[in-house]
Amino acid sequence: ELKNQKQLDYGKEQIEKLTKEGEERKALLQKGNEEMDDLIEGLEKWLEAIKEQQSTAIDASDNEESGMMKADLMALPADTHSAQMLAKSAENAAIDDCIYFLDRALVRGSITSEVFLKEVRKLSKRQFMAKAHLIKIAQTRAAERR
């Protein structure tokens, strides 16, 4: 009878162990399901925003006489980081243009080399900060995607 009792106790332990593992798996799957639901909800919101932006762009193009879409409506950022990157990229390009036209003015003799160097130095500092900000935003986005 002791042998039977040991077998019953061993069977009970195995059943309890399997039940515990099953409950842990169930909890893990429920957590994963909740995370998926949250991600799906986020994607649905994102998709709605994109559809709204597209309809806004289409409405704007319908209102224009030429039928061409405005460039600002064609490049709508999807999130905060995208908006920041778009703004900093535009700032960087604008500074490049300014430096180019300052160079042309120097060549024509419209400005002195002293004024040219002073303005280029100011613009270069600003451009450096814009590029550094772009790099930092890209790093932040990459870290968030991991």
Side-chain angles (χ1 to χ4, degrees):
E1 194 159 310
L2 186 59
K3 184 178 179 183
N4 289 340
Q5 187 62 36
K6 284 184 181 180
Q7 286 178 343
L8 288 173
D9 288 342
Y10 177 74
K12 182 180 176 183
E13 288 175 15
Q14 291 298 315
I15 290 172
E16 288 174 355
K17 180 181 174 186
L18 290 173
T19 303
K20 184 179 177 184
E21 287 177 7
E23 289 173 355
E24 289 173 357
R25 283 186 181 180
K26 181 180 176 183
L28 184 64
L29 288 172
Q30 285 176 335
K31 182 181 176 188
N33 195 13
E34 290 171 3
E35 289 176 3
M36 277 296 196
D37 288 343
D38 291 343
L39 290 173
I40 289 171
E41 184 179 330
L43 284 173
E44 287 172 347
K45 286 180 182 178
W46 176 78
L47 186 59
E48 278 183 42
I50 294 298
K51 286 180 180 178
E52 185 177 316
Q53 289 174 354
Q54 287 176 343
S55 67
T56 303
I58 290 170
D59 291 344
S61 68
D62 289 344
N63 293 338
E64 290 188 26
E65 296 173 0
S66 65
M68 299 288 287
M69 288 177 44
K70 291 184 179 179
D72 290 343
L73 295 175
M74 292 171 53
L76 295 172
D79 57 12
T80 306
H81 290 160
S82 297
Q84 289 175 338
M85 289 185 85
L86 184 63
K88 290 300 174 184
S89 295
E91 181 180 355
N92 182 38
I95 291 171
D96 274 343
D97 291 345
C98 287
I99 291 173
Y100 171 79
F101 285 108
L102 282 170
D103 179 57
R104 300 307 320 146
L106 178 66
V107 169
R108 281 194 321 263
S110 301
I111 60 172
T112 65
S113 59
E114 193 175 292
V115 171
F116 172 78
L117 290 174
K118 184 178 179 183
E119 293 302 316
V120 166
R121 186 167 185 256
K122 276 194 238 175
L123 289 170
S124 295
K125 283 181 183 179
R126 189 168 173 189
Q127 187 175 37
F128 174 82
M129 292 307 293
K131 287 181 178 181
H133 199 160
L134 276 168
I135 291 169
K136 187 65 178 174
I137 294 168
Q139 290 171 347
T140 303
R141 288 183 76 174
E144 285 178 357
R145 290 183 181 176
R146 288 185 195 156

